[in-house]
């Protein structure tokens, strides 16, 4: 079998289809050159398979594709999702990019199997060329569609041919089709300045507006299309967040809310009225998350409309969410046994304004770290945040404490990210330097100790939207590497192999102080990593023997050693730990001297 190294153009080439994504183009090139799959390109370009699946190609990879295919770099660069990331920023890009599944227009792929770059964007739900909904599930079995399966042409679950799919027609005269026209026109479009509030927004601004509006729309009935549909824009059940119809209805409702905002504002007022009448739990935090939108200057006009609308409705409707208090109630015995994995302080105050307190998952969302409380627990346990237990046995962080934490980070505000020559987002920093131990808590410690500076382009709490100077992060990387070098010691797995024991036995040895960890690293998901001093562990292992080792080294019989243990002449170090004898070498040597 011969392996050919291709250092020239591919023998068989084809033009890239209008709007086609780079990953789709590579699949077609592989098939055209009789490669079984795209592993050739993965090896040749030294790229992660995930990057190809996500259509995430940097300039170096694009130049390599240009060298093999002959397609100009100017065209290739517009067909990568990295182009969207650069234009919109990481926060918006990660919010709207479909992760592991794809969708397609049946009419578009009927002549040639391919996948367009714009179909990677979740809010894009309709093919405007054919006035057809995009298909995001197998029409035979309902299974999710991955790019590799789409390019093979059939469902991996049931074998259904995707070219046989039939798209659902969308009437071009409807409001939701008009929304898709406006939304897709904004991708890559220069912002227009006019009296229309939505026209003044870029695509990134529109997605930010939609994301915050979703907090208020969540749980309400749709105002357009199917008016019995309950809006669930954040639903994760069976990838509900990226469900094509769900996205279609959700973004159409956002457009409906802000339509004619500079005029009568009837739609916006109706939504605010419905939200205030809603009895959904957590509604207080939804108001707060929506109001975070007004920290950005492009939404100052909306802030004025919002305040005016709330003032007008204040006298009309009672609020069921503002000033909601914790009430003193009789707590059952079971509720009193609430377990909290973070340090907390009990409060005896009878009442709290709910608007001033946030649960840990709410704090995580406000800081841009999803809804995982584990991230917040790590900050609480070292004292960066203070957790309070309310009289009804619930745990909260006070608004002032959260704002004080943000101030303590000392962000430097810039007009543009490009003002930092080597700017890198917090998201990318975690991905790039996480393997060296750069996690949330580590990041905060370095910021507080003035080792790195956190930059932001607007007044926001979301750390995920901020960025660093990569030059400073490289210095932090060296600090982390040096710490690990000094930390070098035995891990749990190495101790397990050395003593032929399991992890539970190691924990018992730690409790009995037979082993003392040099350092314990806490991870955000609750796991712990133990490191043990090599010198101490080696000395302990050298001074202790198992019975089989003692029999071999000192030429003793099992019965003899066992009798010494039973008579108390030898100490079983593992007593109460494991049903296995571990004895001291010094005691055996002493016994052999006295017994001759």
């Amino acid at each position: 079998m011969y392996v050919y190294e291709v250092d020239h153009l591919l023998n068989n080439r084809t033009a890239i289809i209008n709007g086609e994504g780079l990953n789709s183009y590579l699949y077609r090139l592989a098939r055209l050159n009789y490669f079984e799959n795209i592993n050739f390109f993965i090896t040749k370009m030294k790229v992660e398979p995930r990057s190809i699946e996500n259509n995430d190609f940097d300039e170096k990879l694009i130049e390599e594709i240009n060298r093999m295919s002959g397609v100009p770099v100017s065209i290739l660069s517009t067909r990568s999702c990295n182009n969207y990331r650069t234009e919109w920023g990481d926060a918006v890009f990660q919010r709207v990019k479909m992760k592991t599944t794809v969708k397609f227009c049946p009419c578009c792929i009927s002549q040639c199997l391919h996948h367009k770059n714009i179909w990677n964007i979740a809010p894009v739900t309709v093919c405007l060329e054919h006035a057809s909904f995009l298909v995001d599930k197998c029409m035979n079995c309902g299974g999710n569609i991955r790019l590799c399966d789409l390019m093979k042409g059939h469902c991996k679950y049931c074998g259904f041919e995707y070219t046989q799919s039939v798209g659902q027609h969308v009437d071009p005269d409807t409001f939701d089709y008009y929304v898709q026209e406006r939304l897709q026109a904004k991708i890559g479009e220069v912002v227009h300045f006019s009296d229309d509030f939505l026209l003044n927004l870029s695509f990134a601004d529109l997605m930010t507006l939609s994301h915050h509006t979703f907090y208020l729309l969540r749980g309400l009935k749709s105002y357009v299309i199917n008016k019995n549909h309950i809006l669930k824009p954040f639903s994760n059940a069976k990838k509900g967040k990226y469900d094509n119809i769900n996205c279609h209805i959700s973004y159409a409702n956002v457009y409906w809310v802000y339509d004619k905002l500079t005029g009568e504002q009837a739609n916006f007022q109706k939504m605010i009225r419905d939200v205030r009448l809603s009895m959904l739990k957590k509604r207080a935090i939804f108001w707060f998350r929506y109001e975070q939108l007004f920290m950005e200057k492009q939404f100052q006009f909306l802030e004025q409309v919002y305040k005016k609308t709330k003032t007008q409705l204040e006298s009309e409707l009672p609020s069921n969410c503002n000033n909601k208090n914790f009430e003193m109630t009789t707590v059952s015995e079971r509720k009193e046994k609430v377990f909290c994995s973070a340090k907390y302080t009990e409060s005896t105050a009878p009442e709290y304004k709910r608007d001033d307190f946030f649960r840990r998952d709410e704090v995580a969302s406000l800081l841009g770290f999803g809804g995982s409380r584990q991230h917040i627990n790590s900050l609480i346990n070292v004292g960066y945040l203070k957790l309070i237990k309310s009289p009804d046995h619930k745990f909260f962080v006070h608004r002032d404490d959260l704002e004080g934490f943000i101030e303590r980070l000392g962000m430097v505000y810039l007009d543009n990210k490009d003002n930092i020559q080597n700017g890198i987002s917090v998201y990318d920093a975690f991905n790039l330097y996480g393997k060296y131990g750069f996690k949330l808590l580590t990041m905060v410690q370095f910021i507080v100790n003035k080792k790195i500076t956190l930059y932001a382009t607007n007044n926001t709490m979301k750390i995920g939207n901020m960025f660093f100077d990569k030059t400073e992060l490289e210095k932090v990387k060296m600090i982390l590497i040096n710490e690990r070098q000094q930390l070098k010691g035995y891990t749990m797995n190495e101790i397990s192999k050395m003593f032929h024991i399991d992890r539970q036995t190691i924990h018992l040895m730690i409790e009995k102080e037979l082993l003392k960890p040099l350092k314990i690293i806490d991870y955000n998901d609750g796991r712990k990593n133990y490191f043990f001093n090599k010198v101490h562990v080696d000395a302990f292992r050298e001074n202790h023997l198992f019975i089989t080792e003692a029999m071999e080294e000192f030429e003793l019989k099992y019965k003899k050693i066992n009798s010494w243990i039973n008579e108390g002449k030898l100490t079983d170090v593992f007593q109460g730990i494991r049903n296995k004898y571990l004895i001291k070498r010094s005691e055996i040597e002493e016994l052999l001297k006295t017994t001759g």
Side-chain angles (χ1 to χ4, degrees), residues 332-471:
S332 66
E333 182 179 351
R334 184 174 181 180
K335 284 190 176 181
E336 288 177 353
K337 296 180 179 179
V338 176
F339 173 75
C340 179
S341 57
K343 299 176 182 177
Y344 62 87
T345 302
E346 292 204 34
S347 176
T348 57
E351 291 185 347
Y352 293 90
K353 285 187 177 180
R354 178 64 176 92
D355 289 356
D356 292 336
F357 288 83
F358 306 109
R359 296 193 316 275
R360 283 167 290 171
D361 57 337
E362 294 172 347
V363 173
S365 296
L366 290 173
L367 294 179
F369 297 111
S372 174
R373 67 178 61 181
Q374 295 298 333
H375 296 94
I376 307 305
N377 285 346
S378 63
L379 298 176
I380 292 170
N381 288 331
V382 296
Y384 288 119
L385 290 172
K386 183 180 178 182
L387 190 65
I388 299 174
K389 183 179 179 182
S390 68
D392 56 352
H393 300 266
K394 295 178 181 178
F395 300 93
F396 296 93
V397 174
H398 194 275
R399 179 195 295 267
D400 293 341
D401 194 30
L402 179 58
E403 293 177 351
F405 169 72
I406 296 296
E407 291 179 5
R408 191 173 178 183
L409 296 180
M411 283 87 70
V412 175
Y413 294 98
L414 302 175
D415 294 332
N416 196 309
K417 181 180 177 181
D418 295 335
N419 292 346
I420 299 295
Q421 186 175 2
N422 296 316
I424 179 173
S425 69
V426 172
Y427 174 83
D428 285 340
F430 284 148
N431 286 338
L432 187 61
Y433 298 99
K435 59 186 175 182
Y436 303 108
F438 188 74
K439 306 295 182 182
L440 174 61
L441 181 58
T442 313
M443 178 196 77
V444 172
Q445 290 171 338
F446 277 117
I447 293 173
V448 171
N449 294 329
K450 308 298 182 183
K451 299 291 184 182
I452 51 176
T453 303
L454 191 61
Y455 296 94
T457 54
N458 52 58
N459 187 19
T460 176
M461 280 189 177
K462 287 191 178 294
I463 297 176
N465 292 352
M466 303 175 190
F467 52 96
F468 296 108
D469 185 338
K470 194 171 182 179
T471 306

Side-chain angles (χ1 to χ4, degrees), residues 195-198 209 216 256-273 276 287 290-291 293-294 297-314:
D195 293 335
D196 191 324
F197 171 69
L198 292 175
L209 173 67
L216 300 186
W256 180 88
V257 167
Y258 298 106
D259 190 34
K260 301 177 182 178
L261 189 68
T262 54
E264 56 188 19
Q265 304 168 1
N267 295 351
F268 182 75
Q269 290 177 1
K270 179 172 176 52
M271 181 197 68
I272 298 298
R273 182 190 301 271
R276 289 175 64 84
W287 285 115
Y290 180 74
E291 291 167 0
L293 184 69
F294 305 140
K297 59 184 179 181
Q298 60 268 40
F299 300 113
Q300 289 178 353
F301 169 73
L302 177 60
E303 182 181 14
Q304 296 172 6
V305 176
Y306 171 74
K307 289 181 177 179
K308 178 182 176 182
T309 302
K310 289 196 73 174
T311 302
Q312 289 175 351
L313 296 177
E314 195 71 36

Side-chain angles (χ1 to χ4, degrees), residues 17 20 24 28 108-109 112-116 119 150-151:
I17 298 173
E20 182 180 18
S24 169
R28 292 200 302 115
C108 289
I109 70 167
C112 177
L113 276 173
H114 69 286
H115 186 265
K116 292 187 178 180
W119 295 342
L150 175 63
M151 298 309 295

